[in-house]
Amino acid sequence: MKIVHTIAELRAHLAAFQRPVFVPTMGNLHDGHLALVRQAKPLGDVLVVSIFVNRLQFLPHEDFDTYPRTLEADCQALQAVGCDVVFAPSERELYPEPQVFKVTPPAGLADILEGHFRPGFFTGVCTVVMKLFACVQPRVALFGQKDYQQLMVLRHMVQQFALPIDVIGAPTLRGADGLALSSRNNYLNPAERQEAVHLSQTLTAMAQALRGGATDIVAIEQQAMAALTARGWQPDYMTVRRRADLQWPAAAELATPATLVVLGAAKLGTTRLIDNLEV
Ligand code: PAF
């Protein structure tokens, strides 16, 4: 496995390949990332994983400075799952001068849900992913479905810019109790780690209600928010949306629950967790 830190080295190495497959990450890899990498492996002739903590997608009060940087352990884990190239640029390499050109996704997609609570987040994500795409020039790119809205926004970006890249969403990996794997789970203390399962359990209850024919979305959402609040969480949203565009479904669409997704974001102590479940 080759580890490269500059765009020039990356390009020189990839010149020999026809079909790079790409998994962008911010490092601090867990089994969910590694499953993504295993899924990616057969989809191209060279498998590239990037590790870059992208300042542009953090708000000033968020955890950019403390976000765990674990390059050595990440590289060991990546080698074991068949990664060919790790692209780990420094901030100066990827942003040698302030990134003043940005990719701004449309408000309807990017100012709702995560974008509402983390203004500018999707501009940061789209900008870095566009730049990483320019560096790697992949034919296929994989993103986890745990970041459901991110995957949707990036699919739209690729389609709107006619980028010749197949975007593939990979299923969320969960712990034995159902908690979605996330780098931010490391911030939870033991008691919070036990409690954390209630985010996915609440989403499961919402999905079950919809499958069972419930039609009062407002009530489903309010009950979910109240259930988590009663357990000491601070939920940002627990919501029922259309899979296609993450807008609220019209009444008629509730008859086909398989077009729906439930999504949630909530803080437990100081840790903000997100999760979702296709109904
Ligand atoms: O999902 C992530 O880890 C990041 O948002 C991504 C896609 C690597 C962009 O920094």
Side-chain angles (χ1 to χ4, degrees):
M1 186 179 78
K2 190 128 179 105
I3 302 173
V4 298
H5 298 285
T6 68
I7 299 169
E9 281 174 286
L10 176 73
R11 291 217 169 116
H13 187 70
L14 293 183
F17 297 95
Q18 309 299 316
R19 197 178 157 80
V21 49
F22 181 38
V23 180
T25 80
M26 297 208 302
N28 194 223
L29 303 181
H30 51 66
D31 287 347
H33 293 110
L34 301 178
L36 210 63
V37 174
R38 282 196 199 91
Q39 185 178 338
K41 181 73 179 171
L43 303 179
D45 59 359
V46 61
L47 171 53
V48 184
V49 175
S50 65
I51 296 180
F52 181 69
V53 185
N54 173 38
R55 184 185 292 276
L56 296 187
Q57 70 191 72
F58 288 78
L59 285 169
H61 67 269
E62 290 182 342
D63 52 347
F64 175 77
D65 289 328
T66 52
Y67 199 86
R69 280 130 173 116
T70 53
L71 185 62
E72 210 172 305
D74 290 346
C75 287
Q76 274 174 18
L78 286 172
Q79 176 137 35
V81 291
C83 173
D84 298 307
V85 182
V86 176
F87 177 46
S90 66
E91 209 175 1
R92 266 184 56 202
E93 176 67 12
L94 209 61
Y95 299 135
E97 49 190 78
Q99 183 73 32
V100 286
F101 283 80
K102 295 198 174 144
V103 180
T104 311
L109 299 183
D111 289 5
I112 59 171
L113 305 174
E114 283 306 283
H116 176 76
F117 288 95
R118 305 179 72 190
F121 173 72
F122 287 112
T123 297
V125 169
C126 288
T127 302
V128 80
V129 169
M130 184 66 104
K131 195 152 187 177
L132 290 167
F133 279 173
C135 298
V136 176
Q137 300 188 23
R139 293 292 312 278
V140 184
L142 287 87
F143 298 88
Q145 275 183 356
K146 188 177 98 52
D147 296 293
Y148 202 89
Q149 188 178 5
Q150 168 173 281
L151 176 60
M152 183 208 57
V153 169
L154 291 172
R155 275 192 203 288
H156 280 83
M157 179 184 86
V158 163
Q159 185 248 328
Q160 278 250 316
F161 286 109
L163 302 179
I165 301 171
D166 294 334
V167 173
I168 295 181
T172 302
L173 218 67
R174 297 180 179 279
D177 63 355
L179 175 67
L181 297 195
S182 161
S183 301
R184 291 195 168 97
N185 294 349
N186 295 336
Y187 298 150
L188 300 170
N189 67 32
E192 289 170 342
R193 172 62 192 82
Q194 273 207 313
E195 173 60 30
V197 60
H198 286 281
L199 181 58
S200 67
Q201 281 185 358
T202 307
L203 289 168
T204 304
M206 294 170 78
Q208 274 167 355
L210 290 161
R211 280 191 218 111
T215 52
D216 189 344
I217 290 182
V218 175
I220 293 173
E221 294 187 351
Q222 280 176 354
Q223 264 171 27
M225 297 279 284
L228 285 179
T229 305
R231 302 191 61 90
W233 295 66
Q234 300 154 265
D236 282 344
Y237 57 85
M238 298 295 288
T239 189
V240 179
R241 298 295 169 116
R242 284 201 288 254
R243 290 184 194 180
D245 56 7
L246 298 187
Q247 300 300 318
W248 273 292
E253 290 169 298
L254 297 176
T256 47
T259 60
L260 306 177
V261 58
V262 288
L263 305 106
K267 257 172 122 178
L268 186 56
T270 54
T271 307
R272 187 173 181 279
L273 300 177
I274 65 170
D275 197 359
N276 65 79
L277 220 55
E278 288 187 332
V279 178

